Amino acid sequence: MISIDNIHKSFGGRVLFDGVSFKVNAKERIGLVGRNGHGKSTLFRIIVGEEGCDDGAVTMPKGYRIGYVEQHIQFTETTVLAEGMKGLIASEKDHHWKVEKILAGLGFSDGDMVRSPHDFSGGFQVRLNLAKVLVSEPDLLLLDEPTNYLDITSIRWIENFLLSWPHELMLITHDRGFMDKLVTHTVGIHRQKARKIEGNTEKYYDRIAQDEEIYEKTRLNDERREKEIRLFISRFRAKARLANMVQSRVKTLAKMEKKDKLEQAKNLEFSFRGKPFKAKQVCTVEGLSYAWGAQRPLFEDLNFSILAGERICVVGKNGKGKTTLLKVLAGSLPPASGKIAYNPQVESGVFEQTNVQSLVDNRTVEEELLYAQPDVDRQKARNICGAMMFEGDSALKKISVLSGGEKSRVMLGKLLVTPVNLLMLDEPTNHLDMDACDALLAAIDNFDGAVIMVTHNEMFLHALADRLIVFDDVGARMFDGSYQAFLEKGGWGDTPAMTRRTDEADVDRAPDLPRPTKKELRRLRSEILTEKSKVLKPMDDAIAAAENTIEKNEALLDRLNREMVEASEQGDGARIGPLSQKIRACQEIIEARFADMEQMDEQRQRLEKKFEKRLAELEA
């Protein structure tokens, strides 16, 4: 159990916490909510001791361990698996299978396990830090936006992992659906205080709304009563026979606690600017393919059309080509083959991470929005700034000082003021808080034009998707149906059986996905064999190098032992000491290399079995 007692925290003249108190009891999974900038991440840093507070204390039992995922990247091991094993507690330091299981769940392949951590993108490096914390099994696990760098399959895996978490958990996330599936309690930071309730975010916000409604009614009743008392006193103060009654009301007035009117919380509301579109079809895509250089295509022979007002969501694992497809559709990358035909009336707006390069460093956030469209006035720009979490003076920040996430929000703000009838959005929720995500969902839902969106947020998928473009190990395909229909027809392969139909009509139904052709099977088999060779060859080389070192040192040890016998027979004490040191050093090298060989051979056998299993499954 951990106790947060009367925490006060200010930055400059701004009060962040004014007496924040709550407890985290055994096995509770707590969702921490609040507007961006209200102190959620600051509270995490106070709990782990990275930041101090002005007053109050955080108390916990002796030996209580806290796990917190660091964004700072600092790796010291040569492989992903070895780096992940650094997180294991001392009594489990050789439990490599535990680390492998968690790394696999977070999207690392068998081949990735033996690669250097420095070979991976920033997102995968953060995943590795997450894995190190998860395998350490702390008493309290703190997760700040863990889904930002995960694809849907990894999010679903970590969701199931955390549902069985045996200790305490505190979670910050913009994904309301993810949070509500996990938490037993919700703590909200609201008006500089903290409120803890049993239940999910919906129950929390309902309780807050109810409490504030009661507070406001009580305040108005108190004001009315105070006004009546003052009127009575002023009318009858001079009446001697009513002196006792007047005096009683004076005392009552003095005891009355004055309630301040609550500052009205601003609800985030924004909308995309629509441009009229009178045709039925937005675009047609025929035979679309794309590949990086000589690599196999990320997608090929993709055919679909987009109708006016349709919402198409692009889903799949990271690195499969979702963002690339969006870039090809937007015209920023040329296709390898195929064609895209847009209706002449189409005016598209694109949001994707690399677009931040178009921002001008010496402009402010407000100026970027003002320059985006000639009819945008300062009030409109300021409203959008607030919606994108640049409130007050934050709207006057220069682009040059903004973080990558802040620049992404500026790009989304510029899109909000641009008249369009086709939206292309690449992970638009990644740098928004929960309230802004809700407002964005409403804005997309109310948008009259068509939408193509890459997202891993399942709440958005359930609410918006008319059809899906699904990326898997084979490539990309169009799924004609909602996200729920996709899950019911197999989805990600981890959908619980109880959610699938099991009536007689389904029993004999052929699978929705056709079996790969012989050509595709040959290609997939070739890819597995190539990956196997790529993964196992460095291990074979390392084992051979260790064998060579052992052979050389065994030959040296044999020679040193003969010299030691000669020195002993001759009674040459001056030679015996140095020879003893050399023999001991030689023996240590041999033992160390044997240990390395044993570990590498075990790991090689495990990986080889996995590759053989994949080949067998392919040929089944």
Side-chain angles (χ1 to χ4, degrees), residues 123-139:
F124 269 87
Q125 290 179 338
V126 173
R127 290 191 198 194
L128 180 51
N129 274 348
L130 172 60
K132 287 162 66 176
V133 172
L134 294 180
V135 300
S136 71
E137 294 189 1
D139 298 299

Side-chain angles (χ1 to χ4, degrees), residues 40 158 186 194 212 216 238 322 347 387 423 455 482 577:
K40 301 186 296 296
I158 198 171
T186 302
E212 296 208 337
E216 187 61 15
K322 302 187 301 295
E347 194 68 45
L423 286 173
T455 184
S482 67

Side-chain angles (χ1 to χ4, degrees), residues 48-63:
V48 298
E50 288 184 0
E51 193 162 316
C53 55
D54 303 331
D55 199 5
V58 177
T59 56
M60 63 193 77
K62 188 176 180 180

Side-chain angles (χ1 to χ4, degrees), residues 69 96-108 113 126-137 141 143 146-147 149-165 169 175 178 181-182 317 456 458 483 487 492-496:
V69 182
H96 52 77
W97 60 86
K98 184 176 177 181
V99 183
E100 288 175 341
K101 179 182 176 182
I102 289 176
L103 287 170
L106 293 176
F108 289 89
M113 304 286 182
V126 173
R127 290 191 198 194
L128 180 51
N129 274 348
L130 172 60
K132 287 162 66 176
V133 172
L134 294 180
V135 300
S136 71
E137 294 189 1
L141 177 61
L143 296 180
T147 66
Y149 299 100
L150 302 181
D151 52 39
I152 290 181
T153 51
S154 296
I155 289 173
R156 292 166 74 85
W157 178 88
I158 198 171
E159 183 182 293
N160 291 326
F161 181 90
L162 294 176
L163 280 170
S164 59
W165 183 253
L169 166 70
D175 190 332
F178 179 75
K181 288 174 187 174
L182 286 173
K317 291 184 178 181
H456 61 238
E458 292 195 274
Y483 186 62
L487 294 179
W492 305 110
D494 60 353
T495 308

Side-chain angles (χ1 to χ4, degrees), residues 65-132:
R65 296 185 304 117
I66 297 177
Y68 181 48
V69 182
E70 296 182 6
Q71 300 298 316
H72 178 64
I73 305 298
Q74 187 174 6
F75 300 133
T76 58
E77 300 298 322
T78 56
T79 68
V80 165
L81 181 59
E83 186 67 35
M85 290 178 68
K86 285 171 59 180
L88 292 167
I89 58 177
S91 60
E92 299 180 346
K93 63 181 180 179
D94 61 343
H95 290 190
H96 52 77
W97 60 86
K98 184 176 177 181
V99 183
E100 288 175 341
K101 179 182 176 182
I102 289 176
L103 287 170
L106 293 176
F108 289 89
S109 69
D110 292 338
D112 291 338
M113 304 286 182
V114 294
R115 290 174 59 192
S116 168
H118 300 287
D119 291 346
F120 291 87
S121 66
F124 269 87
Q125 290 179 338
V126 173
R127 290 191 198 194
L128 180 51
N129 274 348
L130 172 60
K132 287 162 66 176

